[in-house]
């Protein structure tokens, strides 16, 4: 083979290898009115799909065969530019403009690892300006107004909180402490945390009273809630009480896991009297499909993560028992994303002591509220990207 042919062959081979496989989007910046994207290797512009959405005007770019290097890549791009891992190998960039504009896209001649997109005027990230404030009082007022404005976005997102058990149904008992009292305390703290964030909240019970299953499960739909959260505490027999502890979050789904089945059976006991096992399975199976299950799973993941993160800032040995699924009857009736939070084992001496400490309860409630906000924010992004 002549030398020229061999050189040409190797150039073609290098190019094919260069453009094959998945690329990595390492960094994104906004500078001089442009969105600058930096890739790990030379990027083939044929892997870009560009289209427009209206109301509001949005320029959408799908970068195929691309993955984000890490979660911080989309941060700090301003409110007009959004970026996410849309699919496994597709990064989506959405640029929102108040008026229609024609973006200019180009790949610098000397750098095939970059891609630039011009942005509409006024889309640069806002840099905080330091202003001289005369008095401490003015500063406080300004901060309060900013918080109020930020939380107003949640004023239509009603959350229903269900404190488990109540009345003649004490729930689990450990060391003379009752589950029904504990979960009501946590539920009230959660209510305050959510209201701080601007959410309207409805409590299924505010006092020591028992609610029938039908009352609990229909409230979320009747009130048009975006989320239903049922608060409970776990328990095991005396032989295991010193060994078993931890926090877990459940969503509705059938399971073969013995532990999940046992927990669900205990929580369901007081509300399933008079129903046959066949009728229970028929009803549960009828609601185990559809988006509610998927969304409930996502909500459970966000809530569990934030609870554990918050508690570990102040307490050692907090056990993350994870997100699990089980046929909890209280989650069947609501057609909204619904979860059941087991805040800990009231049967475990150390965990029981912590569960009745105000600070511990506050961290739990804060974690659940943060998880709800995280879930709702992610859901909004998903909806925006799919529109």
């Amino acid at each position: 083979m002549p030398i020229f042919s061999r050189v040409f062959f190797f150039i073609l081979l290098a190019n094919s290898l260069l453009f094959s496989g998945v690329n990595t989007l390492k960094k994104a910046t906004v500078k001089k009115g442009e969105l600058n994207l930096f890739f790990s290797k030379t990027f083939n512009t044929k892997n870009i799909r560009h289209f427009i959405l209206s109301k509001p005007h949005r320029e959408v770019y799908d970068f195929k065969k691309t993955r984000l290097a890490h979660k911080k890549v989309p941060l700090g791009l301003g409110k007009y530019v959004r970026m996410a891992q849309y699919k496994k190998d597709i990064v989506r960039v959405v640029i929102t403009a108040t008026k229609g504009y024609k973006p200019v896209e180009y790949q610098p001649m000397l750098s095939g690892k970059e891609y630039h997109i011009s942005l509409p005027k006024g889309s640069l990230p806002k840099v905080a300006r330091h202003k001289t404030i005369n008095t401490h009082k003015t500063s406080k007022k300004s901060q309060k107004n900013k918080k109020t404005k930020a939380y107003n976005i949640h004023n239509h997102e009603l959350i229903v909180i269900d404190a488990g058990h109540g009345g003649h149904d004490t729930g689990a008992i450990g060391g003379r402490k009752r589950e029904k009292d504990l979960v009501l305390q946590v539920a009230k703290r959660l209510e305050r945390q959510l209201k701080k964030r601007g959410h309207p909240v409805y409590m299924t019970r505010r006092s020591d009273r028992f609610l029938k299953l039908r009352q609990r499960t229909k409230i979320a739909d009747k009130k048009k809630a975006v989320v239903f959260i049922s608060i409970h505490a776990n328990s095991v027999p005396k032989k295991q009480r010193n060994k078993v502890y931890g926090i877990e979050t459940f969503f509705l789904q059938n399971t073969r896991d013995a532990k999940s089945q046992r927990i669900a059976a205990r929580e369901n006991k007081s509300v399933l009297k008079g129903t046959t096992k066949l009728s229970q399975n028929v009803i549960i199976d009828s609601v185990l499909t559809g988006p509610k299950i998927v969304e409930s799973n996502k909500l459970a993941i966000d809530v569990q993560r934030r609870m554990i993160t918050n508690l570990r800032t102040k307490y050692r040995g907090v056990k993350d028992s994870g997100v699990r699924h089980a046929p909890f009857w209280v989650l069947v009736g609501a057609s909204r994303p619904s979860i059941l939070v087991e805040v800990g084992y009231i049967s475990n001496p150390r965990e029981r002591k912590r569960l009745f400490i105000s600070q511990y309860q506050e961290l739990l409630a804060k974690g659940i509220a943060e998880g709800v906000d995280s879930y709702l924010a992610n859901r909004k992004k998903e909806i925006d990207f799919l529109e």
Side-chain angles (χ1 to χ4, degrees):
M1 185 184 286
I3 294 174
F4 177 78
S5 299
R6 272 185 277 179
V7 170
F8 184 70
F9 170 76
F10 282 118
I11 289 171
L12 284 175
L13 180 63
N15 279 334
S16 64
L17 289 172
L18 206 58
F19 290 121
S20 65
V22 176
N23 209 332
T24 303
L25 180 54
K26 293 169 30 178
K27 188 172 74 170
T29 62
V30 173
K31 194 175 181 182
K32 295 181 181 180
E34 288 185 344
L35 173 64
N36 305 319
L37 306 175
F38 301 88
F39 298 88
S40 60
K41 57 186 179 182
T42 302
F43 186 79
N44 189 347
T45 55
K46 289 181 180 179
N47 288 332
I48 302 173
R49 176 179 172 241
H50 175 214
F51 58 96
I52 298 170
L53 295 173
S54 58
K55 297 180 182 179
H57 180 89
R58 282 159 292 169
E59 301 281 340
V60 183
Y61 295 84
D62 280 348
F63 293 84
K64 301 174 184 176
K65 298 182 180 179
T66 306
R67 292 178 189 170
L68 293 174
H70 48 79
K71 292 181 180 179
K72 292 183 179 180
V73 174
L75 302 179
L77 302 178
K79 65 179 181 179
Y80 297 98
V81 181
R82 286 172 296 153
M83 180 188 296
Q85 191 72 53
Y86 177 59
K87 289 185 179 178
K88 186 181 178 182
D89 293 331
I90 298 177
V91 170
R92 174 166 285 187
V93 174
V94 179
I95 302 169
T96 304
T98 50
K99 292 181 181 179
Y101 85 107
K102 293 183 179 179
V104 177
E105 313 100 348
Y106 66 96
Q107 192 170 40
M109 288 183 66
L110 300 176
S111 181
K113 295 182 180 180
E114 294 181 27
Y115 194 75
H116 296 203
I117 306 170
S118 66
L119 297 174
K121 289 181 180 180
S123 60
L124 293 175
K126 291 183 179 179
V127 180
R129 295 179 183 177
H130 299 284
K131 293 182 180 180
T132 306
I133 298 171
N134 294 329
T135 64
H136 181 66
K137 190 177 179 181
T138 310
S139 176
K140 267 189 172 181
K141 189 177 179 182
S142 174
Q143 287 176 7
K144 190 177 179 182
N145 288 340
K146 281 182 182 177
K147 283 183 180 179
T148 304
K149 193 173 181 181
Y151 291 147
N152 280 344
I153 60 171
H154 299 305
N155 60 9
H156 63 287
E157 296 170 334
L158 174 72
I159 313 296
V160 169
I161 304 170
D162 173 50
H165 308 283
H168 68 270
D169 177 16
T170 61
I173 297 176
R176 296 183 181 178
K177 298 288 188 179
R178 302 179 300 186
E179 180 184 355
K180 68 173 183 176
D181 301 326
L182 168 64
V183 297
L184 185 58
Q185 291 169 17
V186 175
K188 286 180 177 179
R189 291 183 187 277
L190 175 57
E191 178 189 26
R192 288 194 289 272
Q193 285 286 342
L194 288 169
K195 283 185 174 179
K196 276 184 188 177
R197 290 163 169 75
H199 292 285
V201 178
Y202 186 89
M203 301 272 286
T204 59
R205 72 177 180 97
R206 289 182 172 279
S207 58
D208 185 17
R209 68 189 187 96
F210 178 76
L211 281 87
K212 290 182 179 179
L213 177 66
R214 189 174 296 176
Q215 290 173 283
R216 295 179 188 270
T217 56
K218 292 299 177 185
I219 286 172
D221 288 340
K222 188 178 178 182
K223 297 291 180 182
K224 296 183 179 178
V226 293
V227 163
F228 177 83
I229 303 168
S230 192
I231 311 290
H232 289 257
N234 225 325
S235 180
V236 290
K238 287 183 180 180
K239 289 181 181 179
Q240 300 172 284
R241 67 183 180 184
N242 291 315
K243 295 179 181 179
V244 181
Y245 64 99
I247 300 160
E248 50 205 330
T249 306
F250 288 85
F251 65 99
L252 179 68
Q253 186 65 281
N254 268 327
T255 181
R256 291 182 181 179
D257 178 58
K259 182 184 176 184
S260 297
Q261 286 179 341
R262 176 184 58 75
I263 295 168
R266 186 180 65 77
E267 298 290 5
N268 290 339
K269 188 177 179 181
S270 63
V271 293
L272 291 183
K273 290 176 181 177
T275 60
T276 65
K277 192 170 183 179
L278 177 62
S279 65
Q280 293 168 21
N281 289 336
V282 168
I283 296 171
I284 289 175
D285 289 342
S286 69
V287 296
L288 287 183
T289 56
K292 171 194 165 182
I293 303 303
V294 177
E295 292 303 314
S296 296
N297 189 9
K298 291 177 182 177
L299 172 61
I301 290 168
D302 286 333
V303 166
Q304 179 72 13
R305 182 173 64 245
R306 293 308 307 163
M307 279 194 298
I308 298 300
T309 300
N310 273 276
L311 288 169
R312 284 177 176 171
T313 61
K314 300 288 182 182
Y315 293 89
R316 291 182 179 181
V318 174
K319 185 180 178 182
D320 181 2
S321 294
V323 171
R324 308 167 74 90
H325 52 86
F328 284 100
W329 202 253
V330 73
L331 302 180
V332 172
S335 63
R336 318 285 166 169
S338 309
I339 58 172
L340 186 144
V341 180
E342 295 278 6
V343 295
Y345 280 77
I346 201 169
S347 53
N348 181 274
R350 187 183 72 161
E351 197 157 60
R352 177 175 63 247
K353 186 178 178 180
R354 287 180 171 182
L355 284 168
F356 284 89
I357 296 172
S358 297
Q359 184 193 47
Y360 195 86
Q361 290 183 4
E362 203 63 42
L363 289 170
L364 272 170
K366 187 183 176 190
I368 297 171
E370 288 176 356
V372 169
D373 274 354
S374 176
Y375 162 75
L376 292 174
N378 289 332
R379 189 176 73 165
K380 187 178 184 301
K381 286 179 185 176
E382 287 175 2
I383 291 169
D384 287 346
F385 276 116
L386 290 170
E387 282 181 355

